[in-house]
Amino acid sequence: MKRIGNLYDAIWQWDNLRTAFWKARKGASRSRTVQRFELNLDDHLRELATDIREQRVQSAGSTQFLIHDPKERTITAPAFRDRVLHHAIMNVCEPHFDRWLIFDSYACRKGKGRLAALERATHYAKAHGWFLKLDIRKYFESIPHGNLLSELGLKIKDARLLALMERLIVTGKGPGLPIGSLLSQHLANFYLGPVDRLCREQLRVPGYVRYMDDFTLWGDDPVVLRAQWERLEGFVANRLGLQFKDGAHLNRTAHGMNFCGFRIFPGWRVLNRRSRKRLTSKLLALDELSDEREQQSRAQAVIAFAKEGSSWQTRQRALARALTA
């Protein structure tokens, strides 16, 4: 595929920066930082446009905090100015990133997402007798900057854009991308594109779905799947500088497979054990909210997630526990 050039100047154009601001503002309009930025919006956007045009953009910093969802993760929240910048970059680059990805890559893409990945995985589980599930060990924190920039260079020939990406990516001595920024999500999803191509174009895997760093291959011969596993292990190590987690799962589809919060069987799916526990704990936590509207809104979101599988009995038990707590 031909490398793409002439992208950089589109990033600092006025209409693109205003669109980026409104995207970054979504869901954060009550933040004092956002309100201060909006109060002098034109001045802030002109300053950002000048910094981008003159290639002197520097990170405005970030805030870090821990979450447990369910395992402990360090989230890095970029400063609002950087969030606007990331949206401005991805407004220009996302259509190209999307074209470089195969159909069955589902994270960070318009018209895709987790539910579409679940539907596709349920379809493949019905069509094939065996599955192989793999994921990358400590993915975001393990991505080598040099390798990522090299992969970007294979697709982008705009030197200024590559230099900007490097300034935003290389923020410390070690490898890794921070969890929590729009740019990190898209770059992390892009970085595994060569694995998708290997599976589809060379290994000819009959069933394949990737959601960020969770891969699943389906087939009808476990010997073939094991050989593909070995090929993939060498590929991600040698080309991408990554490793799979221990305990990759090769099994019959009839036994069920955990994926995106559900346990998938041929033709149907249910909440997995971890998601059932989270459903109950989130419903119980709603009692701590004093705003009834917010309680209802959050309850609807929790229940909507559970409805993506066969979960009526689980939902009824969780609601009963929440009501009697």
Side-chain angles (χ1 to χ4, degrees):
M1 182 180 290
K2 186 177 179 181
R3 291 196 302 158
I4 303 297
N6 302 317
L7 297 176
Y8 190 82
D9 287 334
I11 296 172
W12 55 265
Q13 297 304 312
W14 188 253
D15 287 347
N16 183 50
L17 289 178
R18 285 192 66 87
T19 300
F21 164 75
W22 289 110
K23 286 183 175 181
R25 179 184 181 274
K26 187 175 181 180
S29 60
R30 296 181 181 180
S31 165
R32 291 184 180 179
T33 302
V34 175
Q35 290 173 354
R36 286 196 296 269
F37 194 99
E38 188 172 5
L39 189 63
N40 297 292
L41 179 59
D42 287 356
D43 290 340
H44 285 300
L45 292 185
R46 274 194 288 268
E47 181 184 24
L48 180 57
T50 300
D51 286 348
I52 298 170
R53 185 178 64 248
E54 297 183 4
Q55 302 179 64
R56 64 187 190 200
V57 173
Q58 299 293 330
S59 173
S62 60
T63 302
Q64 290 190 328
F65 55 92
L66 292 176
I67 64 168
H68 298 82
D69 191 28
K71 62 183 178 181
E72 185 176 281
R73 296 176 185 272
T74 300
I75 303 298
T76 302
F80 185 72
R81 186 179 191 268
D82 283 359
R83 288 166 56 192
V84 175
L85 172 62
H86 293 178
H87 277 285
I89 293 170
M90 291 315 305
N91 286 346
V92 174
C93 294
E94 185 176 359
H96 302 292
F97 276 45
D98 194 69
R99 284 198 292 272
W100 295 329
L101 295 168
I102 68 167
F103 179 87
D104 279 321
S105 171
Y106 287 88
C108 304
R109 301 179 72 186
K110 294 176 182 177
K112 299 287 186 177
R114 188 182 53 79
L115 179 56
L118 282 168
E119 294 285 357
R120 191 69 159 168
T122 306
H123 164 76
Y124 282 134
K126 187 176 181 180
H128 300 285
W130 289 81
F131 72 86
L132 170 64
K133 189 172 185 297
L134 304 163
D135 59 0
I136 302 294
R137 177 183 298 165
K138 297 182 179 179
Y139 178 50
F140 273 77
E141 60 194 87
S142 299
I143 296 174
H145 297 150
N147 292 38
L148 173 57
L149 291 166
S150 294
E151 293 294 331
L152 286 168
L154 295 175
K155 303 294 186 183
I156 298 171
K157 64 179 179 181
D158 190 321
R160 291 178 298 167
L161 177 55
L162 292 172
L164 174 59
M165 292 282 199
E166 183 172 5
R167 286 198 299 276
L168 296 175
I169 291 169
V170 184
T171 57
K173 293 183 179 180
L177 296 177
I179 300 173
S181 80
L182 178 75
L183 188 62
S184 290
Q185 292 172 14
H186 281 278
L187 291 177
N189 198 43
F190 160 83
Y191 190 52
L192 292 175
V195 180
D196 301 338
R197 298 274 175 198
L198 173 63
C199 287
R200 280 304 196 193
E201 297 172 3
Q202 297 184 41
L203 300 181
R204 302 289 182 181
V205 177
Y208 175 81
V209 169
R210 177 169 69 85
Y211 191 81
M212 193 54 79
D213 62 318
D214 286 346
F215 309 80
T216 305
L217 293 70
W218 286 267
D220 297 299
D221 187 340
V223 175
V224 172
L225 284 171
R226 187 171 292 277
Q228 292 167 343
W229 174 6
E230 293 175 358
R231 176 80 180 276
L232 286 167
E233 198 164 36
F235 183 85
V236 300
N238 296 328
R239 177 161 174 171
L240 303 179
L242 301 170
Q243 291 182 320
F244 287 124
K245 289 181 182 177
D246 295 334
H249 200 184
L250 175 62
N251 208 337
R252 294 183 183 274
T253 56
H255 294 169
M257 177 195 75
N258 289 331
F259 184 70
C260 289
F262 286 78
R263 191 156 184 85
I264 296 174
F265 296 89
W268 60 288
R269 58 184 179 267
V270 296
L271 286 173
N272 64 20
R273 182 181 301 175
R274 181 177 289 175
S275 291
R276 292 197 300 270
K277 291 181 178 179
R278 290 174 65 193
L279 173 67
T280 301
S281 64
K282 285 187 175 183
L283 289 174
L284 290 170
L286 295 179
D287 285 338
E288 299 175 6
L289 299 175
S290 57
D291 189 325
E292 186 174 342
R293 287 185 179 180
E294 188 174 0
Q295 280 184 332
Q296 292 176 349
S297 176
R298 293 195 183 185
Q300 288 173 355
V302 172
I303 296 300
F305 171 81
K307 283 183 176 180
E308 293 170 3
S310 302
S311 61
W312 186 86
Q313 290 183 340
T314 300
R315 285 183 278 129
Q316 294 305 305
R317 286 194 296 268
L319 286 168
R321 285 191 61 186
L323 290 172
T324 57

